[in-house]
Amino acid sequence: MRTLIVTEFITLDGIVDSPGGGDHPRAGWTFTEVPHVEEMYEIKGREQDEADALLLGRVSYDEFAPVWPTMDEFAEYNAMPKYVVSTTLTDPEWNNTTVLRSLDEVAALKQADGANILVHASPTLAQGLAEAGLVDRYHLLVFPVALGEGKRLFNGREQGSLKLVEHEAYSNGVVKQVFDVVR
């Protein structure tokens, strides 16, 4: 069975909304409110190396599809199979993209042969996956920022325990936390 990993930039108050840009009033907070420290992004390179599929919700797909194909740093993501959980998307234009209509189809994807499946951004999808017991691991870069309002990774309906399996603090106050879901 494949490992499904939710990977997020997250604030101390649990917000994952608009870390690189978007509609939030403080969109881009990962760039504008915390100094850049290259070594904290090591986990992002490792994720690309260890995964062979990208899973997105519809909103994240709509935001990433026009931009990521033009960015050299996302070449691995652009080449790998991408899956979008959506009941409305009919003709995805981003190369190598398949639409999944339900969480049952995500569960079947996890059962197939392959490497890790990464869920980038997509907080609503991540919440649904967690509630359905489909998340195996969380990769979190926790930023020393409080936004107060915005989309959250956890909605309060998730249950269970997490086991910290990796962590590191960086000079800019960001903390990497990798948790396995305990079953």
Side-chain angles (χ1 to χ4, degrees), residues 111-129:
Q111 295 299 321
D113 289 336
N116 296 340
I117 302 167
L118 290 177
V119 179
H120 269 279
S122 304
T124 303
L125 175 60
Q127 291 168 359
L129 293 167

Side-chain angles (χ1 to χ4, degrees), residues 157-177:
R157 292 190 295 270
E158 303 83 357
Q159 296 192 16
S161 298
L162 303 174
K163 178 182 177 186
L164 182 67
V165 295
E166 182 181 342
H167 62 91
E168 186 170 358
Y170 303 101
S171 61
N172 61 357
V174 172
V175 177
K176 172 178 62 181
Q177 297 178 331

